[in-house]
Amino acid sequence: MTNLISGQSNIDASVLLGESIIVEEGVVIEAGTTIGNHVTIKTGTHIGKNCTIFDFAMLGKQPKLGKSSTAGGGGLSGLTLGDGCSVGSHTVLMAGTSFGVECIIGDNAGVRERCVIGDSVIVGRSVTVENDTTIGSHTRIQSGAYVTAYVTVEEDVFIAPMVVMTNDNYMGRTEKRLTEMRGCTVRRGARVGGGVHILPGIEIGEDSFIATGSVVTRDVEPRMLVMGVPAKPIRPVAEEELLENQ
């Protein structure tokens, strides 16, 4: 099978290439990286040193927006992957997004445009991260979680499987929603349990703990454990569990 590699790309001689790869113009792939089979790397993508890209991944895809989309359009810079990143099979990473070093992006995950991802972030299998989202270093997002657009997740956060974040109280109805659309903010060291749903604009405080299955309808104080539907304060987080004591 033939690889289609633009002559205007820059691929280090040490890079290992699989079969049926497409590399468009302006792509940079640095030393020690391995590219699997049937990978597509779009214009302007920059892949750092010692990365691993598994079969059927697509890197640097430009978005195609619906007429009613609230995501901003316009030209986007290329995708950037820092040194030592691993990108799973059938994963799609959009243009205009940057990853720090040593990130792991699981199989079938999707990260939209204009996201900023820090160092050593884990984006688990089948996770979706929507546009214009920021994720701090050392944060772990487990399988199947949905991170909506316009979310801020700070450093050292743990997001368990199947968490759902929302940003629109009107679910697509009325023009008013456009002025009030906001994702949540999850502060440093917070832990969000499996299946939790978080309403638009909520702030989850530093080092707080959201119990499994909770629905978060109001802000959560720092270092507080909350539980229930709707989630209510139960007790302070134990001192030995605080990030500063790890």
Side-chain angles (χ1 to χ4, degrees):
M1 296 183 181
T2 303
N3 292 331
L4 300 177
I5 298 177
S6 169
Q8 296 180 8
S9 61
N10 183 358
I11 302 176
D12 188 88
S14 65
V15 171
L16 299 178
L17 298 175
E19 298 182 342
S20 299
I21 296 168
I22 299 174
V23 178
E24 296 184 348
E25 64 183 21
V27 169
V28 175
I29 307 177
E30 297 192 40
T33 287
T34 299
I35 309 294
N37 302 318
H38 301 278
V39 171
T40 300
I41 306 175
K42 306 294 285 185
T43 299
T45 297
H46 188 130
I47 301 174
K49 297 180 177 65
N50 302 313
C51 293
T52 303
I53 315 300
F54 287 93
D55 298 353
F56 293 97
M58 176 174 284
L59 306 185
K61 179 183 177 182
Q62 293 285 333
K64 175 66 174 177
L65 302 177
K67 292 182 179 179
S68 61
S69 175
T70 59
L76 296 171
S77 59
L79 171 76
T80 301
L81 285 180
D83 295 349
C85 286
S86 174
V87 178
S89 179
H90 294 88
T91 289
V92 178
L93 307 180
M94 303 289 273
T97 283
S98 64
F99 289 80
V101 301
E102 302 291 340
C103 293
I104 297 175
I105 305 99
D107 297 340
N108 299 301
V111 180
R112 287 276 303 273
E113 65 273 17
R114 293 185 302 275
C115 293
V116 178
I117 315 296
D119 297 334
S120 301
V121 170
I122 296 175
V123 177
R125 181 181 177 88
S126 300
V127 167
T128 297
V129 178
E130 297 283 18
N131 54 282
D132 301 280
T133 286
T134 299
I135 299 174
S137 296
H138 307 288
T139 283
R140 293 170 287 170
I141 305 176
Q142 302 295 300
S143 298
Y146 177 76
V147 180
T148 193
Y150 317 117
V151 161
T152 297
V153 179
E154 294 187 342
E155 298 82 9
D156 297 293
V157 168
F158 180 87
I159 297 174
M162 310 308 292
V163 168
V164 175
M165 302 178 182
T166 61
N167 63 16
D168 182 3
N169 279 318
Y170 302 92
M171 293 195 288
R173 301 283 175 86
T174 82
E175 292 301 308
K176 184 178 181 180
R177 72 188 176 97
L178 300 177
T179 63
E180 296 185 6
M181 186 174 290
R182 295 188 295 144
C184 64
T185 299
V186 185
R187 297 297 184 191
R188 179 176 179 269
R191 291 172 289 167
V192 182
V196 167
H197 286 219
I198 304 172
L199 268 62
I202 296 296
E203 179 164 329
I204 295 176
E206 182 172 328
D207 247 338
S208 60
F209 187 105
I210 316 300
T212 296
S214 297
V215 176
V216 184
T217 63
R218 65 184 74 179
D219 292 349
V220 177
E221 294 183 7
R223 303 185 175 198
M224 182 60 65
L225 184 153
V226 302
M227 178 185 298
V229 182
K232 297 179 180 180
I234 301 299
R235 60 170 174 80
V237 172
E239 287 289 329
E240 64 267 22
E241 293 186 18
L242 296 177
L243 194 60
E244 66 189 37
N245 295 325
Q246 301 309 299

